[in-house]
C-alpha cells in the first residue's frame, strides 16, 4: 500500500516545462530519484496523465524528470514530454 506524505504544487507553462530536455523545473522540489508521485492537473503536460503514478528522476534540486517504473528511475530513462500548458496552470505532485 502506498501512503501519501505531502505534495508539491507548481505553475506549469512553457518556461518551466522543457520538451527538449524532458524536464520540469520546480524550485526546491525536495524529491529524490525513485520517489513515487501522483501527478494531478487539469491540462496535462504532454506525455503525462493526470491521476497517474510516476517515479521521479532527480536532475538537481530544482529540476525533475519522470518515468513509469523504479527500474527506469534507477536507469535514468525518462518519459518524453511533448508539450506544456499554453497558459499558467497550477499542477500538483502528491508524494
Amino acid at each position: 500500500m502506498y501512503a501519501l506524505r505531502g505534495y508539491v504544487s507548481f505553475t506549469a507553462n512553457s518556461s518551466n516545462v522543457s520538451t527538449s530536455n524532458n524536464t520540469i523545473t520546480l524550485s526546491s522540489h525536495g524529491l529524490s530519484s525513485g520517489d513515487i508521485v501522483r501527478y494531478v492537473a487539469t491540462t496535462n503536460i504532454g506525455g503525462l496523465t493526470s491521476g497517474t503514478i510516476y517515479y521521479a528522476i532527480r536532475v538537481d534540486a530544482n529540476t525533475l524528470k519522470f518515468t513509469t517504473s523504479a527500474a527506469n528511475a534507477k536507469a535514468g530513462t525518462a518519459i518524453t514530454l511533448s508539450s506544456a500548458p499554453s497558459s499558467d496552470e497550477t499542477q500538483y505532485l502528491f508524494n
Side-chain angles (χ1 to χ4, degrees):
M1 185 77 154
Y2 171 71
L4 295 175
R5 296 178 303 194
Y7 71 93
V8 175
S9 66
F10 64 101
T11 301
N13 55 42
S14 59
S15 296
N16 63 4
V17 176
S18 171
T19 56
S20 58
N21 295 318
N22 298 314
T23 58
I24 301 173
T25 301
L26 301 122
S27 297
S28 303
H29 55 71
L31 296 171
S32 298
S33 288
D35 282 354
I36 298 170
V37 297
R38 181 180 300 272
Y39 169 74
V40 177
T42 301
T43 303
N44 292 331
I45 293 170
L48 302 179
T49 302
S50 184
T52 300
I53 291 177
Y54 295 101
Y55 293 78
I57 299 171
R58 180 188 171 109
V59 176
D60 60 38
N62 300 308
T63 312
L64 291 169
K65 294 182 178 188
F66 295 97
T67 192
T68 56
S69 70
N72 284 345
K74 186 174 182 178
T77 305
I79 292 170
T80 299
L81 302 181
S82 58
S83 64
S86 57
S87 60
D88 289 356
E89 181 182 312
T90 301
Q91 300 191 353
Y92 302 90
L93 298 174
F94 292 90
N95 64 329

